[in-house]
Amino acid sequence: INQFDTNVLYSYNAQKINGTVSLTINFNNTIDQVEVDGVSANSRVSGSSATITFNASEASSCTIGVHVNNGSNIDALAVTGYDYSVT
């Protein structure tokens, strides 16, 4: 995961991965919404975590946008960890 532009956009590169990727990104604050560009994906948000599921063969990379509408300072938003699986 590469961090871009004041902690709002993230890029994920899935080169040479085949199958369904389930990527969970953990943040230091509660997030309200996540958007994915560059690949058809399902996403869900739970507190400070976002899980994005997509078929890696559809695209070699995607951009993930995070929305914070709960009064948190977007400039203080940071990724605290991530995990992924491929099935």
Side-chain angles (χ1 to χ4, degrees):
I1 295 179
N2 299 315
Q3 191 171 326
F4 294 105
D5 192 22
T6 63
N7 301 321
V8 180
L9 295 177
Y10 298 87
S11 174
Y12 177 78
N13 189 331
Q15 291 181 353
K16 299 181 183 180
I17 295 177
N18 292 314
T20 301
V21 175
S22 180
L23 171 66
T24 300
I25 306 171
N26 302 305
F27 297 90
N28 63 333
N29 285 320
T30 301
I31 59 172
D32 297 302
Q33 184 180 355
V34 64
E35 295 181 14
V36 181
D37 186 30
V39 67
S40 176
N42 293 318
S43 61
R44 66 182 165 90
V45 172
S46 178
S48 60
S49 296
T51 300
I52 298 113
T53 304
F54 60 94
N55 185 336
S57 65
E58 290 181 13
S60 62
S61 66
C62 65
T63 301
I64 301 163
V66 177
H67 296 265
V68 176
N69 298 322
N70 57 28
S72 298
N73 181 352
I74 191 70
D75 292 329
L77 186 66
V79 173
T80 60
Y82 66 93
D83 188 30
Y84 70 94
S85 63
V86 181
T87 56

Coordinates of all heavy atoms in Angstrom, one line a residue:
I1 N 0.9 -1.2 0.0 CA 0.0 0.0 0.0 C 0.9 1.2 0.0 O 1.8 1.3 0.8 CB -0.9 0.0 1.2 CG1 -1.9 -1.2 1.1 CG2 -1.7 1.3 1.3 CD1 -2.8 -1.3 2.3
N2 N 0.6 2.1 -0.9 CA 1.4 3.4 -1.0 C 0.5 4.5 -0.6 O -0.7 4.6 -1.1 CB 1.9 3.6 -2.4 CG 2.8 2.5 -2.9 OD1 3.7 2.1 -2.1 ND2 2.7 2.0 -4.0
Q3 N 0.9 5.4 0.2 CA 0.1 6.5 0.7 C 0.3 7.7 -0.2 O 1.3 8.0 -0.6 CB 0.6 6.8 2.1 CG -0.3 7.7 2.9 CD 0.2 7.8 4.3 OE1 0.7 6.8 4.9 NE2 0.0 9.0 4.9
F4 N -0.9 8.3 -0.5 CA -0.9 9.5 -1.3 C -1.7 10.6 -0.7 O -2.7 10.4 0.0 CB -1.5 9.2 -2.7 CG -0.7 8.3 -3.6 CD1 -1.2 7.0 -3.7 CD2 0.4 8.7 -4.2 CE1 -0.4 6.1 -4.5 CE2 1.1 7.8 -5.0 CZ 0.7 6.5 -5.1
D5 N -1.4 11.9 -1.0 CA -2.3 13.0 -0.8 C -3.0 13.1 0.6 O -4.2 12.7 0.7 CB -3.3 13.1 -1.9 CG -4.0 14.5 -1.9 OD1 -3.5 15.4 -1.4 OD2 -5.1 14.5 -2.5
T6 N -2.3 13.6 1.6 CA -2.9 13.8 2.9 C -3.7 12.6 3.5 O -4.7 12.8 4.1 CB -3.7 15.1 3.0 OG1 -4.9 14.9 2.1 CG2 -2.9 16.3 2.6
N7 N -3.2 11.4 3.3 CA -3.7 10.2 3.9 C -5.1 9.9 3.4 O -5.9 9.2 4.1 CB -3.7 10.3 5.4 CG -2.3 10.5 6.0 OD1 -1.4 9.9 5.5 ND2 -2.2 11.4 7.0
V8 N -5.6 10.4 2.3 CA -6.9 10.1 1.8 C -7.0 9.1 0.7 O -7.9 8.3 0.7 CB -7.6 11.4 1.3 CG1 -9.0 11.2 0.8 CG2 -7.6 12.5 2.4
L9 N -6.0 9.0 -0.1 CA -6.0 8.0 -1.2 C -4.9 7.0 -1.0 O -3.8 7.3 -0.6 CB -5.8 8.7 -2.6 CG -6.9 9.6 -3.0 CD1 -6.6 10.2 -4.4 CD2 -8.2 8.8 -3.1
Y10 N -5.2 5.7 -1.3 CA -4.2 4.7 -1.2 C -4.2 3.9 -2.5 O -5.2 3.8 -3.2 CB -4.5 3.8 0.0 CG -4.4 4.5 1.3 CD1 -5.5 5.2 1.7 CD2 -3.2 4.6 2.0 CE1 -5.5 5.9 2.9 CE2 -3.2 5.4 3.1 CZ -4.3 6.0 3.6 OH -4.2 6.8 4.7
S11 N -3.0 3.3 -2.9 CA -2.9 2.6 -4.1 C -2.5 1.1 -3.7 O -1.7 0.9 -2.9 CB -1.9 3.2 -5.0 OG -1.6 2.4 -6.1
Y12 N -3.2 0.2 -4.4 CA -2.9 -1.2 -4.1 C -2.5 -1.9 -5.4 O -3.2 -1.7 -6.4 CB -4.1 -1.9 -3.6 CG -4.0 -3.4 -3.4 CD1 -3.3 -3.9 -2.2 CD2 -4.5 -4.3 -4.3 CE1 -3.1 -5.2 -2.1 CE2 -4.3 -5.7 -4.1 CZ -3.6 -6.1 -3.0 OH -3.4 -7.5 -2.8
N13 N -1.4 -2.5 -5.5 CA -0.8 -3.2 -6.7 C -0.9 -4.7 -6.5 O -0.2 -5.2 -5.6 CB 0.6 -2.7 -6.9 CG 1.1 -3.1 -8.3 OD1 0.7 -4.1 -8.8 ND2 2.0 -2.3 -8.8
A14 N -1.7 -5.3 -7.3 CA -1.9 -6.8 -7.2 C -1.3 -7.5 -8.4 O -1.8 -8.5 -8.9 CB -3.3 -7.1 -7.1
Q15 N -0.1 -7.1 -8.9 CA 0.5 -7.8 -10.0 C 0.8 -9.2 -9.7 O 1.3 -9.5 -8.6 CB 1.8 -7.0 -10.4 CG 1.5 -5.7 -11.0 CD 2.8 -5.0 -11.5 OE1 3.9 -5.4 -11.2 NE2 2.6 -3.9 -12.1
K16 N 0.6 -10.1 -10.6 CA 0.9 -11.5 -10.5 C 0.1 -12.2 -9.5 O 0.6 -13.3 -9.0 CB 2.4 -11.7 -10.3 CG 3.3 -11.2 -11.5 CD 4.7 -11.5 -11.3 CE 5.5 -10.9 -12.4 NZ 7.0 -11.1 -12.3
I17 N -1.0 -11.7 -9.1 CA -1.9 -12.4 -8.1 C -3.1 -12.8 -8.9 O -3.7 -12.0 -9.6 CB -2.3 -11.4 -7.0 CG1 -1.1 -11.1 -6.1 CG2 -3.4 -12.1 -6.1 CD1 -1.3 -10.1 -5.0
N18 N -3.5 -14.0 -8.8 CA -4.8 -14.5 -9.4 C -5.7 -15.0 -8.3 O -5.3 -15.6 -7.3 CB -4.4 -15.7 -10.3 CG -3.7 -15.3 -11.5 OD1 -4.0 -14.3 -12.2 ND2 -2.6 -16.1 -11.9
G19 N -7.0 -14.7 -8.5 CA -8.0 -15.1 -7.5 C -8.7 -13.9 -6.9 O -8.5 -12.8 -7.4
T20 N -9.5 -14.2 -5.9 CA -10.2 -13.1 -5.2 C -9.4 -12.6 -4.0 O -9.0 -13.4 -3.2 CB -11.6 -13.6 -4.7 OG1 -12.3 -14.1 -5.8 CG2 -12.4 -12.6 -4.0
V21 N -9.2 -11.3 -4.0 CA -8.4 -10.7 -3.0 C -9.4 -10.0 -2.0 O -10.3 -9.3 -2.4 CB -7.5 -9.6 -3.5 CG1 -6.8 -8.8 -2.4 CG2 -6.4 -10.2 -4.5
S22 N -9.1 -10.3 -0.7 CA -9.8 -9.6 0.4 C -8.8 -8.8 1.2 O -7.9 -9.4 1.8 CB -10.5 -10.6 1.3 OG -11.2 -10.0 2.3
L23 N -8.9 -7.5 1.0 CA -7.9 -6.6 1.7 C -8.6 -5.8 2.8 O -9.6 -5.2 2.6 CB -7.4 -5.6 0.6 CG -6.5 -4.5 1.1 CD1 -5.2 -5.0 1.7 CD2 -6.3 -3.5 0.0
T24 N -8.1 -5.9 4.0 CA -8.6 -5.2 5.1 C -7.6 -4.2 5.6 O -6.4 -4.5 5.8 CB -8.9 -6.1 6.3 OG1 -9.9 -7.0 5.9 CG2 -9.5 -5.3 7.5
I25 N -8.0 -2.9 5.6 CA -7.1 -1.8 6.0 C -7.6 -1.2 7.3 O -8.8 -0.9 7.4 CB -7.1 -0.7 4.9 CG1 -6.7 -1.3 3.6 CG2 -6.1 0.4 5.3 CD1 -6.9 -0.3 2.4
N26 N -6.7 -1.1 8.3 CA -7.1 -0.6 9.6 C -6.5 0.9 9.7 O -5.4 1.1 9.3 CB -6.5 -1.4 10.7 CG -7.0 -2.8 10.6 OD1 -8.2 -3.1 10.5 ND2 -6.0 -3.8 10.5
F27 N -7.4 1.8 10.2 CA -7.0 3.2 10.4 C -7.0 3.5 11.9 O -7.5 2.8 12.7 CB -8.0 4.0 9.7 CG -8.0 3.8 8.2 CD1 -8.9 2.9 7.6 CD2 -7.2 4.5 7.3 CE1 -8.9 2.6 6.2 CE2 -7.2 4.3 6.0 CZ -8.0 3.3 5.4
N28 N -6.4 4.7 12.2 CA -6.4 5.2 13.6 C -7.6 5.9 14.0 O -7.8 6.2 15.2 CB -5.2 6.1 13.8 CG -5.3 7.3 12.9 OD1 -5.9 7.4 11.9 ND2 -4.6 8.4 13.4
N29 N -8.6 6.1 13.1 CA -9.9 6.8 13.4 C -11.0 6.0 12.7 O -10.8 5.3 11.7 CB -9.9 8.3 12.9 CG -9.0 9.2 13.8 OD1 -9.0 9.0 15.0 ND2 -8.3 10.1 13.2
T30 N -12.2 6.3 13.2 CA -13.4 5.7 12.5 C -13.5 6.3 11.1 O -13.3 7.5 10.9 CB -14.6 6.0 13.3 OG1 -14.5 5.5 14.6 CG2 -15.9 5.5 12.7
I31 N -13.8 5.5 10.1 CA -14.1 6.0 8.8 C -15.5 5.7 8.4 O -16.2 4.9 9.0 CB -13.1 5.4 7.8 CG1 -13.2 3.8 7.7 CG2 -11.7 5.8 8.0 CD1 -12.5 3.2 6.6
D32 N -16.0 6.5 7.5 CA -17.4 6.5 7.2 C -17.7 5.7 5.9 O -18.8 5.1 5.7 CB -18.1 7.9 7.1 CG -18.0 8.5 8.5 OD1 -18.5 8.0 9.4 OD2 -17.4 9.6 8.6
Q33 N -16.8 5.8 4.9 CA -17.0 5.3 3.6 C -15.7 5.0 2.9 O -14.7 5.7 3.2 CB -17.8 6.3 2.8 CG -18.2 5.8 1.4 CD -19.0 6.8 0.6 OE1 -19.3 7.9 1.2 NE2 -19.3 6.5 -0.6
V34 N -15.7 4.0 2.0 CA -14.5 3.7 1.2 C -15.0 3.6 -0.2 O -16.0 3.0 -0.5 CB -13.7 2.5 1.7 CG1 -14.6 1.2 1.6 CG2 -12.4 2.3 1.0
E35 N -14.2 4.1 -1.1 CA -14.5 4.0 -2.6 C -13.3 3.3 -3.3 O -12.1 3.6 -2.9 CB -14.8 5.3 -3.2 CG -16.0 6.0 -2.7 CD -16.3 7.3 -3.3 OE1 -15.7 7.6 -4.4 OE2 -17.1 8.1 -2.8
V36 N -13.6 2.6 -4.3 CA -12.5 1.9 -5.0 C -12.6 2.3 -6.5 O -13.7 2.2 -7.1 CB -12.6 0.4 -4.9 CG1 -11.5 -0.3 -5.6 CG2 -12.6 0.0 -3.4
D37 N -11.5 2.7 -7.1 CA -11.5 3.0 -8.5 C -10.4 2.1 -9.2 O -9.4 1.9 -8.7 CB -11.1 4.5 -8.7 CG -11.2 5.0 -10.1 OD1 -12.0 4.4 -10.9 OD2 -10.4 5.9 -10.5
G38 N -10.7 1.6 -10.4 CA -9.8 0.9 -11.2 C -10.1 -0.6 -11.2 O -9.5 -1.4 -12.0
V39 N -11.1 -1.1 -10.4 CA -11.5 -2.5 -10.4 C -12.9 -2.5 -9.8 O -13.2 -1.7 -8.9 CB -10.5 -3.3 -9.6 CG1 -10.5 -3.0 -8.1 CG2 -10.7 -4.8 -9.8
S40 N -13.7 -3.5 -10.3 CA -15.0 -3.7 -9.7 C -14.8 -4.4 -8.3 O -14.1 -5.4 -8.2 CB -15.8 -4.6 -10.6 OG -17.1 -4.9 -10.0
A41 N -15.3 -3.8 -7.3 CA -15.0 -4.3 -5.9 C -16.2 -4.2 -5.0 O -17.1 -3.3 -5.2 CB -13.9 -3.5 -5.3
N42 N -16.3 -5.1 -4.0 CA -17.3 -4.9 -2.9 C -16.5 -4.4 -1.8 O -15.3 -4.8 -1.5 CB -17.9 -6.3 -2.6 CG -18.7 -6.8 -3.7 OD1 -19.5 -6.1 -4.3 ND2 -18.6 -8.1 -3.9
S43 N -17.1 -3.5 -1.0 CA -16.4 -2.9 0.1 C -17.4 -2.8 1.3 O -18.6 -2.6 1.1 CB -15.8 -1.5 -0.2 OG -16.8 -0.6 -0.6
R44 N -16.8 -2.8 2.5 CA -17.6 -2.6 3.7 C -16.7 -1.9 4.7 O -15.5 -2.1 4.8 CB -18.2 -3.9 4.2 CG -17.3 -4.9 4.8 CD -18.0 -6.1 5.2 NE -17.1 -7.2 5.4 CZ -16.4 -7.5 6.6 NH1 -16.7 -6.7 7.6 NH2 -15.6 -8.5 6.6
V45 N -17.4 -1.1 5.6 CA -16.7 -0.4 6.6 C -17.2 -0.8 7.9 O -18.4 -1.0 8.1 CB -16.9 1.1 6.4 CG1 -16.3 1.9 7.6 CG2 -16.2 1.6 5.1
S46 N -16.3 -1.0 8.9 CA -16.7 -1.4 10.3 C -15.8 -0.6 11.2 O -14.6 -1.0 11.4 CB -16.6 -2.9 10.5 OG -16.9 -3.2 11.8
G47 N -16.3 0.5 11.8 CA -15.5 1.3 12.7 C -14.3 1.9 12.0 O -14.4 2.7 11.1
S48 N -13.1 1.5 12.4 CA -11.9 2.0 11.8 C -11.3 1.1 10.8 O -10.1 1.2 10.5 CB -10.9 2.3 13.0 OG -10.6 1.1 13.7
S49 N -12.0 0.1 10.3 CA -11.5 -0.9 9.3 C -12.4 -0.8 8.1 O -13.6 -0.7 8.1 CB -11.5 -2.3 9.9 OG -10.6 -2.4 11.0
A50 N -11.7 -1.0 6.9 CA -12.4 -1.1 5.6 C -11.9 -2.4 5.0 O -10.7 -2.7 5.0 CB -12.0 0.0 4.7
T51 N -12.9 -3.2 4.5 CA -12.5 -4.4 3.8 C -13.0 -4.3 2.3 O -14.2 -4.0 2.1 CB -13.2 -5.7 4.4 OG1 -12.7 -5.7 5.8 CG2 -12.9 -6.9 3.7
I52 N -12.1 -4.6 1.4 CA -12.3 -4.5 0.0 C -12.1 -5.8 -0.6 O -11.0 -6.4 -0.4 CB -11.4 -3.4 -0.7 CG1 -11.7 -2.0 -0.1 CG2 -11.6 -3.4 -2.2 CD1 -10.5 -1.5 0.7
T53 N -13.0 -6.3 -1.4 CA -12.9 -7.6 -2.0 C -13.1 -7.5 -3.5 O -14.0 -6.8 -4.0 CB -14.0 -8.6 -1.5 OG1 -13.9 -8.7 -0.1 CG2 -13.8 -10.0 -2.0
F54 N -12.1 -8.0 -4.3 CA -12.1 -7.9 -5.7 C -11.4 -9.0 -6.4 O -10.6 -9.7 -5.7 CB -11.5 -6.5 -6.1 CG -10.1 -6.3 -5.7 CD1 -9.1 -6.7 -6.6 CD2 -9.8 -5.8 -4.5 CE1 -7.7 -6.5 -6.2 CE2 -8.5 -5.7 -4.1 CZ -7.4 -6.0 -5.0
N55 N -11.6 -9.2 -7.7 CA -11.0 -10.2 -8.5 C -9.7 -9.6 -9.0 O -9.7 -8.7 -9.8 CB -11.9 -10.7 -9.6 CG -11.3 -11.8 -10.4 OD1 -10.1 -12.0 -10.5 ND2 -12.1 -12.5 -11.1
A56 N -8.6 -10.1 -8.6 CA -7.2 -9.6 -9.0 C -7.0 -9.6 -10.4 O -6.2 -8.8 -11.0 CB -6.1 -10.3 -8.2
S57 N -7.6 -10.6 -11.1 CA -7.3 -10.7 -12.6 C -8.0 -9.6 -13.4 O -7.6 -9.4 -14.5 CB -7.7 -12.1 -13.1 OG -9.1 -12.2 -13.0
E58 N -8.9 -8.9 -12.8 CA -9.6 -7.8 -13.5 C -8.7 -6.6 -13.7 O -8.9 -5.8 -14.6 CB -10.9 -7.4 -12.8 CG -12.0 -8.4 -12.9 CD -13.2 -8.0 -12.2 OE1 -13.4 -6.8 -11.8 OE2 -14.1 -8.9 -12.0
A59 N -7.8 -6.3 -12.7 CA -6.9 -5.1 -12.8 C -5.7 -5.4 -12.0 O -5.7 -6.1 -11.0 CB -7.7 -3.9 -12.3
S60 N -4.6 -4.8 -12.4 CA -3.4 -5.0 -11.7 C -3.2 -4.0 -10.5 O -2.3 -4.1 -9.7 CB -2.2 -4.9 -12.6 OG -2.1 -3.7 -13.2
S61 N -4.0 -2.9 -10.5 CA -3.9 -2.0 -9.4 C -5.3 -1.3 -9.3 O -6.1 -1.3 -10.2 CB -2.8 -0.9 -9.7 OG -3.1 -0.2 -10.8
C62 N -5.5 -0.6 -8.1 CA -6.7 0.1 -7.9 C -6.3 1.3 -6.9 O -5.3 1.2 -6.2 CB -7.8 -0.7 -7.4 SG -7.5 -1.4 -5.8
T63 N -7.2 2.3 -6.9 CA -7.0 3.4 -6.0 C -8.2 3.3 -5.0 O -9.3 3.1 -5.4 CB -7.0 4.7 -6.7 OG1 -6.0 4.7 -7.6 CG2 -6.9 5.9 -5.8
I64 N -7.9 3.5 -3.7 CA -8.8 3.4 -2.6 C -9.0 4.8 -2.0 O -8.0 5.3 -1.5 CB -8.4 2.3 -1.6 CG1 -8.2 1.0 -2.3 CG2 -9.4 2.3 -0.4 CD1 -7.4 0.0 -1.5
G65 N -10.2 5.3 -2.0 CA -10.5 6.6 -1.3 C -11.2 6.4 0.0 O -12.1 5.5 0.1
V66 N -10.9 7.1 1.0 CA -11.4 7.0 2.3 C -12.1 8.3 2.7 O -11.6 9.4 2.5 CB -10.4 6.7 3.4 CG1 -11.0 6.6 4.8 CG2 -9.7 5.4 3.0
H67 N -13.4 8.2 3.2 CA -14.1 9.3 3.6 C -14.3 9.3 5.1 O -14.6 8.3 5.7 CB -15.5 9.3 3.0 CG -15.5 9.4 1.5 ND1 -15.7 10.6 0.9 CD2 -15.4 8.5 0.5 CE1 -15.6 10.4 -0.4 NE2 -15.5 9.1 -0.7
V68 N -14.1 10.5 5.7 CA -14.3 10.7 7.2 C -15.2 11.8 7.3 O -14.9 13.0 7.0 CB -12.9 11.0 7.9 CG1 -13.1 11.3 9.3 CG2 -11.9 9.8 7.7
N69 N -16.4 11.5 7.8 CA -17.5 12.6 8.0 C -17.9 12.7 9.4 O -18.9 13.3 9.7 CB -18.7 12.3 7.1 CG -18.4 12.2 5.6 OD1 -17.6 13.0 5.2 ND2 -19.0 11.3 4.9
N70 N -17.2 12.1 10.3 CA -17.6 12.1 11.7 C -16.9 13.1 12.6 O -16.9 13.0 13.8 CB -17.4 10.7 12.3 CG -15.9 10.3 12.2 OD1 -15.0 11.1 12.2 ND2 -15.7 9.0 12.1
G71 N -16.4 14.2 12.0 CA -15.7 15.2 12.8 C -14.3 15.0 13.1 O -13.6 15.8 13.7
S72 N -13.7 13.8 12.6 CA -12.3 13.6 12.8 C -11.5 14.4 11.8 O -12.0 14.8 10.8 CB -12.0 12.1 12.5 OG -12.6 11.2 13.4
N73 N -10.3 14.7 12.2 CA -9.4 15.5 11.3 C -8.8 14.6 10.3 O -8.0 13.7 10.6 CB -8.3 16.1 12.2 CG -7.3 17.0 11.4 OD1 -7.4 17.0 10.1 ND2 -6.4 17.7 12.1
I74 N -9.1 14.8 9.0 CA -8.7 14.0 7.9 C -7.1 14.0 7.8 O -6.5 13.0 7.4 CB -9.3 14.4 6.6 CG1 -9.0 13.3 5.5 CG2 -8.9 15.7 6.1 CD1 -9.7 12.0 5.7
D75 N -6.5 15.1 8.2 CA -5.1 15.2 8.1 C -4.4 14.3 9.2 O -3.2 14.0 9.0 CB -4.6 16.7 8.4 CG -5.0 17.6 7.2 OD1 -5.1 17.1 6.0 OD2 -5.3 18.8 7.4
A76 N -5.1 13.9 10.2 CA -4.6 13.0 11.2 C -4.8 11.5 10.9 O -4.3 10.7 11.6 CB -5.1 13.4 12.6
L77 N -5.6 11.2 9.8 CA -5.9 9.9 9.5 C -4.6 9.1 9.0 O -3.9 9.6 8.2 CB -6.9 9.8 8.4 CG -7.5 8.4 8.0 CD1 -8.3 7.8 9.2 CD2 -8.3 8.5 6.7
A78 N -4.4 7.9 9.5 CA -3.3 7.1 9.2 C -3.7 5.7 9.1 O -4.5 5.2 9.9 CB -2.1 7.3 10.2
V79 N -3.0 4.9 8.3 CA -3.1 3.4 8.3 C -2.3 2.9 9.4 O -1.2 3.2 9.6 CB -2.6 2.9 6.9 CG1 -2.6 1.4 7.0 CG2 -3.5 3.4 5.8
T80 N -3.0 2.0 10.2 CA -2.3 1.4 11.4 C -1.9 0.0 11.0 O -1.1 -0.6 11.8 CB -3.1 1.4 12.6 OG1 -4.4 0.8 12.4 CG2 -3.4 2.9 13.1
G81 N -2.4 -0.6 10.0 CA -2.1 -1.9 9.6 C -3.0 -2.4 8.4 O -4.0 -1.8 8.2
Y82 N -2.6 -3.5 7.8 CA -3.5 -4.1 6.8 C -3.2 -5.6 6.7 O -2.1 -6.1 7.2 CB -3.3 -3.4 5.4 CG -1.9 -3.6 4.8 CD1 -1.7 -4.6 3.9 CD2 -0.9 -2.7 5.1 CE1 -0.4 -4.8 3.4 CE2 0.3 -2.9 4.5 CZ 0.6 -3.9 3.7 OH 1.8 -4.1 3.1
D83 N -4.2 -6.3 6.2 CA -4.0 -7.7 6.0 C -4.8 -8.1 4.7 O -5.7 -7.4 4.4 CB -4.6 -8.5 7.2 CG -4.3 -10.0 7.2 OD1 -3.3 -10.4 6.6 OD2 -5.2 -10.7 7.7
Y84 N -4.3 -9.1 4.0 CA -5.1 -9.6 2.9 C -5.0 -11.1 2.7 O -4.1 -11.7 3.3 CB -4.5 -8.9 1.6 CG -3.2 -9.4 1.2 CD1 -3.0 -10.4 0.2 CD2 -2.0 -8.8 1.6 CE1 -1.8 -10.8 -0.2 CE2 -0.8 -9.2 1.2 CZ -0.6 -10.2 0.3 OH 0.6 -10.6 -0.1
S85 N -6.0 -11.6 2.0 CA -5.9 -13.0 1.7 C -6.3 -13.2 0.2 O -7.0 -12.3 -0.3 CB -6.9 -13.8 2.6 OG -8.2 -13.4 2.4
V86 N -5.9 -14.3 -0.4 CA -6.3 -14.6 -1.7 C -6.9 -16.0 -1.8 O -6.3 -16.9 -1.2 CB -5.0 -14.5 -2.7 CG1 -5.4 -14.9 -4.1 CG2 -4.3 -13.2 -2.6
T87 N -8.1 -16.1 -2.4 CA -8.7 -17.4 -2.5 C -9.0 -17.7 -3.9 O -9.0 -16.9 -4.8 CB -10.1 -17.4 -1.7 OG1 -10.9 -16.4 -2.1 CG2 -9.8 -17.3 -0.2

